[in-house]
Amino acid sequence: MQAFNMHLTEEQLLIYKNQGFLVLPEYFSRGEIEAVKAELSSLSADNSPKKVLEKDGKTVRSFHGSHTINDVFNCLTRHPFIVEPAMQIVGSQVYVYQFKINLKAAFSGDIWKWHQDYIYWRKEDGMPRPQVVNAMCLLDDMNEFNGPLFLIPGSHKEEMIDVTMHNSNEIQGWISNFSANLKYSLNQKLITNLVSKYGITFIKAAAGSIVFFDSNIVHASTNNISPFGRSTVIITYNSIENIPSAVVNPRPDFLVSQDYRPVIPLASNVLS
């Protein structure tokens, strides 16, 4: 681990508040990131619903809930250099609401359409408020070639944009929230207006960097036609004061945790 303070400065918190995201470059060392990436191979044999494939039926798009079965990923969710800033951002203790690994595979990683996250958590899970934060850990370099994360900075100030659910006969159930044809994606006219108002940017950062981003910031990513894979871990921390209410058809626990115990940060700053 490089010499970083585990607490965000007032300036960093202000940047997050104003633009809806904050990049902490090379937060973890290459050695630590390689240790995390090494665990991905053990997940590939999993044929449970936790593994989501691209529309080609063979390329892995994402893994979900892996922190409950893997010690390294579990340590990552409790690492003080991630948990402490998450608590600062939401203003309370937090629990792990979601854990997913997105694999933007070389040559075949598909698009993630323009969307906000909170609308899913509100409509699908009954989350009362957007008192929640995403922490994205880059396991590979993210650049202009390999389908980087696109963001509309400041768009979180629009709060939740209540769009109509897209009907699709291709994919049913919860998995439609993680396919290339997202249930609550935003239309082109709306994106054009938001970009005209706020501008547009993308994340270019080295492996080991962390990106904290707001649940209402509008974001997307293009497909990856480059030879460079682009894998990320996204840990969503929800406030313990923001427990979702009961819904008629709750999503599986590996997607939306019902373990509301606060995350206790590790005493050590080393992944193992």
Side-chain angles (χ1 to χ4, degrees):
M1 170 61 63
Q2 300 184 41
F4 288 102
N5 192 316
M6 68 179 66
H7 292 100
L8 299 178
T9 65
E10 289 300 320
E11 181 182 6
Q12 289 172 322
L13 288 169
L14 186 61
I15 290 171
Y16 179 88
K17 179 181 179 180
N18 288 336
Q19 67 179 17
F21 70 97
L22 176 69
V23 182
L24 302 177
E26 298 179 75
Y27 209 44
F28 291 101
S29 70
R30 288 279 175 170
E32 288 172 313
I33 290 303
E34 288 305 315
V36 175
K37 284 188 68 176
E39 300 299 313
L40 295 179
S41 60
S42 66
L43 302 179
S44 60
D46 183 6
N47 292 316
S48 76
K50 295 179 181 180
K51 181 170 72 174
V52 177
L53 301 179
E54 299 283 16
K55 59 188 176 185
D56 63 10
K58 59 182 181 180
T59 303
V60 178
R61 181 175 176 85
S62 57
F63 296 106
H64 298 267
S66 306
H67 66 302
T68 62
I69 58 173
N70 182 285
D71 289 340
V72 172
F73 293 129
N74 184 270
C75 285
L76 188 62
T77 67
R78 295 185 294 127
H79 200 289
F81 280 52
I82 301 179
V83 178
E84 297 287 353
M87 289 194 292
Q88 284 182 272
I89 288 170
V90 304
S92 73
Q93 289 184 293
V94 295
Y95 71 96
V96 176
Y97 176 73
Q98 281 190 343
F99 179 98
K100 57 182 175 284
I101 303 167
N102 286 344
L103 305 178
K104 185 81 70 165
F107 296 114
S108 55
D110 210 348
I111 189 175
W112 288 86
K113 291 184 177 180
W114 287 105
H115 67 284
Q116 297 173 305
D117 288 337
Y118 178 61
I119 189 171
Y120 294 89
W121 304 337
R122 173 72 178 178
K123 291 180 176 288
E124 305 286 312
D125 308 325
M127 182 183 287
R129 303 179 304 279
Q131 192 179 357
V132 59
V133 64
N134 291 308
M136 172 185 278
C137 178
L138 276 55
L139 302 185
D140 295 295
D141 294 345
M142 184 181 289
N143 55 47
E144 58 268 47
F145 306 112
N146 60 357
L149 179 67
F150 279 76
L151 299 153
I152 300 178
S155 57
H156 63 300
K157 297 174 184 176
E158 301 287 322
E159 300 184 344
M160 191 187 87
I161 302 170
D162 197 359
V163 296
T164 304
M165 179 181 70
H166 302 297
N167 294 318
S168 172
N169 295 322
E170 299 175 14
I171 300 174
Q172 301 294 329
W174 63 262
I175 200 170
S176 64
N177 299 335
F178 300 98
S179 70
N181 189 20
L182 292 176
K183 184 185 291 187
Y184 297 109
S185 60
L186 304 177
N187 64 48
Q188 294 178 358
K189 181 179 180 181
L190 183 53
I191 295 302
T192 300
N193 291 338
L194 287 172
V195 171
S196 176
K197 182 176 181 180
Y198 294 107
I200 188 172
T201 190
F202 73 95
I203 301 299
K204 183 175 183 178
S209 301
I210 296 287
V211 183
F212 289 99
F213 62 99
D214 191 277
S215 63
N216 274 326
I217 194 168
V218 177
H219 61 288
S221 65
T222 61
N223 58 330
N224 185 7
I225 60 172
S226 81
F228 312 116
R230 193 273 270 173
S231 53
T232 60
V233 173
I234 303 178
I235 309 166
T236 302
Y237 294 100
N238 189 26
S239 168
I240 60 170
E241 302 168 355
N242 194 39
I243 304 301
S245 56
V247 294
V248 176
N249 295 308
R251 294 194 289 173
D253 189 61
F254 62 81
L255 287 180
V256 182
S257 176
Q258 297 181 38
D259 182 353
Y260 306 133
R261 291 174 296 177
V263 175
I264 306 300
L266 294 173
S268 170
N269 294 337
V270 178
L271 287 171
S272 60

